[in-house]
Amino acid sequence: MITELLDCSEKSLKKAADVIKSGEVAAFPTETVYGLGANAFDESAVRKIFAAKGRPADNPLIVHISDISMLKGLTSEVPELAYKLAEKFWPGPLTMIMPKSEKIPSVTSGGLSTVGIRFPSHPAARRLIELSGLPIAAPSANLSGSPSPTTARRVYEDMNGRIPVIIDGGESSVGVESTVLCFENGGVRILRPGGVTPEMLSEICRVTVDPAVTSELKPGAAAMSPGMKYKHYAPKASVEIVRGSAEKYAEYVLKSAKAGDWCLLFDTSEAVEGIPYICYGSDSREQAHRLFEALRELDVKGAKHVFARCPELKGVGLAVYNRILRAAGFNVTDLEVQA
Ligand code: AMP
Ligand code: MG
């Protein structure tokens, strides 16, 4: 299959909408990461997403809408709180899980009775949904297990020959996938952290952060958010998160590093002598924006092992930590505890 890389003009978006209407898959930009979209109602189209990514069938897809009025046809029940959160955070990087309507096939929801719904803010994503006149089921546009793509070029690297069309809408601004939440006891539970932070949600309702966000599930335990159970977002190098001050980090890396090892830092001032590095930002928003591209760059450089400075667990930093923890396969060295 030939993969066409298109700009995000109205003409290109119409072409991509036609692709989606005809039961095929198109990649498109969103403010979180690039998505791989198909008609959420069409079982055979949705199967093509799973095939292109090599995604496990029990990992549900998020359904994207371009207007709150589309919620009704996708869900069997919308809690009052969902409308309140939608008013505040939609369009934007928030996915809400609700009981699904019968019109959503079980392939889309990974066999679950619920469906995750998001109204993205990226103008090209919104226009694509409007033009296709359909809710678009879309996971991140990477091969399963790899870091999510935040540029069309990275989508092309993973999807060339696997899908007919990629829309280029520039760099994704947020850089990590949406916040995923479900409703419980009048409040919400965060199953996956993202650009809408626990602090932002707490201004509206009671918020619980699911323990699976920051720790590994016990073998055999059921994941409330199926994507959290897979090793994910990983570059080819092994990744080790190192928690501690810049001084302790440098001391530890100097002692442990071998040839081919790299550092993943917040700032150039933290460089460890003799060890190559990539910086992924000094504040949490910047780290989220840069993280996946930094992980892909480490592959290009041929890094063998990566010592990643541990982000703060506050605000969007929680999302950064959640992703990097999975990229590291839960390998964390805590220098504060060891001291
Ligand atoms: P991706 O689109 O690749 O960012 O992955 C979507 C993720 O959202 C999945 O891996 C799940 O963890 C989560 N998700 C989507 N739909 C549901 C649902 N119905 N219930 C629980 N989690 C969901
Ligand atoms: Mg993904």
Side-chain angles (χ1 to χ4, degrees), residues 33 53 55 59-62 64 95 97-98 108-109 112-117 138-142 148 177-178 180 191-192 223-228 230 232-233:
V33 301
K53 281 183 63 92
R55 184 174 174 104
N59 197 355
L61 307 184
I62 292 168
H64 295 73
T95 298
I97 296 170
M98 289 171 254
T108 302
S109 66
L112 299 173
S113 60
T114 52
V115 61
I117 301 183
S140 49
N142 51 286
S148 301
E177 302 82 349
S178 58
V180 176
L191 304 182
R192 179 178 75 182
M224 286 188 78
S225 177
M228 292 285 100
Y230 297 106
H232 226 121
Y233 322 114

Side-chain angles (χ1 to χ4, degrees), residues 126-339:
R126 291 171 68 167
R127 190 70 186 134
L128 178 67
I129 303 165
E130 272 165 21
L131 288 169
S132 63
L134 292 163
I136 296 183
S140 49
N142 51 286
L143 289 172
S144 203
S146 298
S148 301
T150 53
T151 62
R153 182 165 73 103
R154 296 302 189 197
V155 179
Y156 190 82
E157 285 171 9
D158 277 18
M159 290 297 148
N160 183 20
R162 294 173 169 262
I163 58 170
V165 157
I166 301 168
I167 295 284
D168 187 347
E171 273 183 30
S172 296
S173 55
V174 179
V176 291
E177 302 82 349
S178 58
T179 303
V180 176
L181 59 75
C182 64
F183 296 92
E184 60 173 25
N185 311 324
V188 298
R189 175 177 289 262
I190 295 179
L191 304 182
R192 179 178 75 182
V196 174
T197 63
E199 293 85 347
M200 287 157 76
L201 290 161
S202 324
E203 286 178 17
I204 313 260
C205 62
R206 202 173 43 74
V207 178
T208 308
V209 177
D210 194 80
V213 165
T214 50
S215 51
E216 194 168 13
L217 278 169
K218 302 228 159 46
M224 286 188 78
S225 177
M228 292 285 100
K229 73 184 177 205
Y230 297 106
K231 179 161 180 180
H232 226 121
Y233 322 114
K236 293 187 182 76
S238 55
V239 178
E240 173 181 0
I241 299 178
V242 182
R243 177 181 282 159
S245 66
E247 291 73 30
K248 282 187 179 162
Y249 171 87
E251 205 178 288
Y252 176 77
V253 171
L254 264 181
K255 183 175 81 188
S256 324
K258 300 189 190 68
D261 291 357
W262 280 67
C263 290
L264 188 56
L265 306 172
F266 303 147
D267 191 88
T268 51
S269 65
E270 300 162 345
V272 182
E273 210 181 319
I275 321 279
Y277 64 86
I278 287 178
C279 293
Y280 76 119
S282 49
D283 67 62
S284 297
R285 292 266 159 203
E286 198 185 336
Q287 286 163 12
H289 177 71
R290 288 269 304 131
L291 176 67
F292 288 138
E293 186 55 28
L295 293 176
R296 283 181 178 250
E297 271 171 49
L298 287 163
D299 271 354
V300 175
K301 308 279 191 199
K304 289 199 173 70
H305 184 77
V306 179
F307 299 97
R309 286 212 66 204
C310 183
E312 268 203 318
L313 272 67
K314 284 199 307 244
V316 77
L318 185 65
V320 177
Y321 182 69
N322 171 269
R323 304 310 190 277
I324 205 166
L325 187 61
R326 271 140 190 99
F330 299 94
N331 180 11
V332 182
T333 300
D334 195 335
L335 302 173
E336 299 303 328
V337 168
Q338 284 174 2

Side-chain angles (χ1 to χ4, degrees), residues 60-97:
L61 307 184
I62 292 168
V63 177
H64 295 73
I65 60 175
S66 55
D67 195 289
I68 295 183
S69 64
M70 291 170 82
L71 261 184
K72 281 238 156 62
L74 304 173
T75 51
S76 61
E77 191 193 318
V78 181
E80 214 31 60
L81 181 55
Y83 287 113
K84 237 173 143 176
L85 295 176
E87 199 175 300
K88 178 96 182 162
F89 300 112
W90 277 0
L94 178 67
T95 298
M96 297 194 263
I97 296 170

